[in-house]
Amino acid sequence: SGHTMRQALRIFSRRLATGAAVTFTGVTGSALWWKAQAESKVDYAAVKKDISDLLDSNLDYDDGSYGPVLVRLAWHSSGTYSVFEGTGGSCGATMRFKPESADPANAGLDVARDLLEPVKAKHPGLSYSDLWTLAGCVAIEEMGGPKIGWRPGRTDAKCGHCCPPVGRLPDASRN
């Protein structure tokens, strides 16, 4: 029940353009944000700086920047959302668990997840879900792209039972 890349990008673009809150198990994204703010104070400016400091920390990696792999992590953690089932997506950070971590489409993303572990350890109130999506936004901005509107409030799954089915990521080769 996955989408083609074109369908997923249309849905994503519409949501970005309207600023609409996404419903996750009956709770709007803005309600999740307020819940997260009440439970934990996170210095998001410090988190952004920590992510930015990591981008060029290993000039021998790929093209000299971790930016592209962080964008890919953000996309892959978000791209599993099913509008039909209301599951998957950036809430949960289920790529930490099998079978999603072992999905061939996610090959190499362990580099990005491992890179961000010290940031998570430094900011324990930050969810992996927020960290991964924020890392993608910071990477785009630091690589010269536009400033991306981002809001916190995503929560993490406790185990792999919430993983979306393997193969749900949009695939440009499928119709």
Side-chain angles (χ1 to χ4, degrees):
S1 63
H3 300 293
T4 66
M5 180 70 76
R6 181 173 291 139
Q7 290 169 322
L9 287 174
R10 255 190 251 129
I11 292 167
F12 181 71
S13 296
R14 277 193 300 252
R15 290 192 180 146
L16 276 180
T18 64
V22 177
T23 300
F24 180 69
T25 61
V27 180
T28 65
S30 58
L32 284 173
W33 184 84
W34 288 110
K35 178 178 181 261
Q37 292 303 304
E39 290 176 356
S40 171
K41 296 292 182 194
V42 175
D43 182 350
Y44 289 101
V47 173
K48 288 176 84 168
K49 182 184 181 321
D50 291 342
I51 294 167
S52 179
D53 289 346
L54 290 173
L55 290 177
D56 300 322
S57 62
N58 180 358
L59 296 178
D60 292 328
Y61 178 77
D62 197 34
D63 68 347
S65 173
Y66 286 110
V69 76
L70 293 179
V71 172
R72 186 169 164 245
L73 175 66
W75 164 242
H76 280 235
S77 70
S78 303
T80 57
Y81 180 73
S82 168
V83 69
F84 303 109
E85 297 173 17
T87 60
S90 60
C91 283
T94 52
M95 199 185 307
R96 295 172 294 142
F97 311 112
K98 288 186 178 180
E100 192 173 357
S101 64
D103 185 334
N106 293 328
L109 291 177
D110 56 323
V111 170
R113 294 190 310 266
D114 293 346
L115 178 72
L116 293 171
E117 277 300 320
V119 178
K120 175 70 171 114
K122 186 175 176 182
H123 305 278
L126 177 66
S127 70
Y128 282 102
S129 301
D130 277 348
L131 175 60
W132 295 353
T133 56
L134 181 58
C137 294
V138 169
I140 289 170
E141 292 171 19
E142 291 292 321
M143 291 186 298
K147 178 166 177 37
I148 298 172
W150 178 89
R151 291 187 297 186
R154 294 160 197 82
T155 56
D156 292 336
K158 304 284 186 222
C159 65
H161 287 84
C162 297
C163 286
V166 170
R168 185 181 279 176
L169 278 169
D171 184 342
S173 67
R174 294 190 301 200
N175 291 329

